[in-house]
Amino acid sequence: MNRSELRTAVKDRLAIPSSGDGLITDTFVNTSLNDALNRISAERDWWWLAATATLTFDTVNGAATLPSDFMRANKLVINDALAEPIPLEDFLDPENTESSYGWVIYGSQVKITPVPSTSTNGTFYYFRNEPALSSDSSTPLLPVAYHYAIVAYASFLCCARRQDEQRASLYMQEYGNWMRTLSDDNRTTINKRIKFNRANDYASWE
C-alpha cells in the first residue's frame, strides 16, 4: 500500500466520516504512519532494511562518513576479509587490545585503525531506517504482507490522540501480534553469513 492507501485504511478503522475529523486530520494520520514506520524500524534488525555501502577511508584519520540512512551497523569487509570491530577504548589506545587492526563507529563516521597509507575501500553492511512517506504515492520498504502493522500502530496513535484508551490498547495488542509474526519470519532470513576470504582471521590493510 502507498501512503494514500495506508491513510484510508487507518481512517476506515477509526470510522472517520467523509466530512473529516477535527482531531484526526489527514496530516495527523500521515505523521502517524511515519511514526509507525520509525517504531517498526527501531524494533529489530529487519531483513528488508539490510543494506550495503562502499566506504572510502581517508589517509588522515582513517575515517569514512556513514550512509545517510544508517541505523545500526552489521559488518565491515576490507580486502575481501572481515574487519574486526573493537571497543572505542581499544581504538583510542591500541596497546590495550590484542588486535592491531579494527574499526569503530564514532559520531557520523566509521573509523579504522591503523590509519591507511593509501585510500582504502571497504564494504559496509548495515541496517537502514525506513524513509519517510513524503507523498501519497510513496510506499514503505516493509513488505506489503506486513503493511497492516503500520495501520495498527498508526491507529493506536490516533486513538491515543482521541484519548480513547480502550481502542488504543486493542490496536497496540494488534501491533504486538504483528511484531511477533515479523520476528519469527526475520529469524529465517537475516541470520545468513556474509562470505569473505578466510585466509586471514581478520582483515588488514596498509
Side-chain angles (χ1 to χ4, degrees), residues 51-55 57 65-67 70-77 103 105 110 122-127 194:
T52 60
T54 299
L55 301 184
F57 297 94
T65 301
L66 283 167
F70 171 80
M71 177 169 283
R72 284 183 291 268
N74 190 357
K75 308 289 184 184
L76 175 64
V77 174
W103 66 280
I105 292 177
V110 182
T123 301
F124 186 54
Y125 293 76
Y126 69 102
F127 294 94
I194 298 170

Side-chain angles (χ1 to χ4, degrees), residues 14-86:
L14 301 177
I16 293 178
S18 58
S19 58
D21 184 299
L23 281 177
I24 312 302
T25 62
D26 283 0
T27 299
F28 183 79
V29 177
N30 289 344
T31 299
S32 298
L33 292 171
N34 283 324
D35 288 345
L37 283 173
N38 287 335
R39 173 66 184 263
I40 294 169
S41 295
E43 293 273 8
R44 296 282 189 281
D45 293 337
W46 302 114
W47 79 87
W48 68 88
L49 297 179
T52 60
T54 299
L55 301 184
T56 300
F57 297 94
D58 63 42
T59 58
V60 178
N61 298 303
T65 301
L66 283 167
S68 60
D69 57 357
F70 171 80
M71 177 169 283
R72 284 183 291 268
N74 190 357
K75 308 289 184 184
L76 175 64
V77 174
I78 298 177
N79 296 329
D80 295 323
L82 194 65
E84 182 178 13
I86 58 176

Side-chain angles (χ1 to χ4, degrees), residues 3 5-11 13-14 16 24-40 133 147-162 167-168 171-172 174-175 178:
R3 188 179 75 174
E5 293 164 334
L6 288 166
R7 185 175 63 244
T8 297
V10 172
K11 292 171 70 175
R13 286 197 171 199
L14 301 177
I16 293 178
I24 312 302
T25 62
D26 283 0
T27 299
F28 183 79
V29 177
N30 289 344
T31 299
S32 298
L33 292 171
N34 283 324
D35 288 345
L37 283 173
N38 287 335
R39 173 66 184 263
I40 294 169
L133 302 177
H147 278 191
Y148 276 97
I150 306 170
V151 174
Y153 194 81
S155 297
F156 157 75
L157 293 175
C158 291
C159 288
R161 182 176 175 85
R162 283 177 168 175
R167 293 188 69 186
Y171 287 127
M172 180 54 78
E174 181 185 354
Y175 173 76
W178 275 111

Side-chain angles (χ1 to χ4, degrees), residues 86-100:
I86 58 176
L88 178 61
E89 293 79 5
D90 292 346
F91 180 86
L92 296 174
D93 185 4
E95 294 182 0
N96 287 340
T97 180
E98 295 179 359
S99 174
S100 58

Side-chain angles (χ1 to χ4, degrees), residues 40 44 46-48 142-143 146 149 177-187:
I40 294 169
R44 296 282 189 281
W46 302 114
W47 79 87
W48 68 88
L142 175 70
Y146 309 108
N177 291 337
W178 275 111
M179 287 303 99
R180 283 187 284 275
T181 298
L182 275 165
S183 296
D184 289 342
D185 292 346
N186 203 52
R187 293 189 190 98

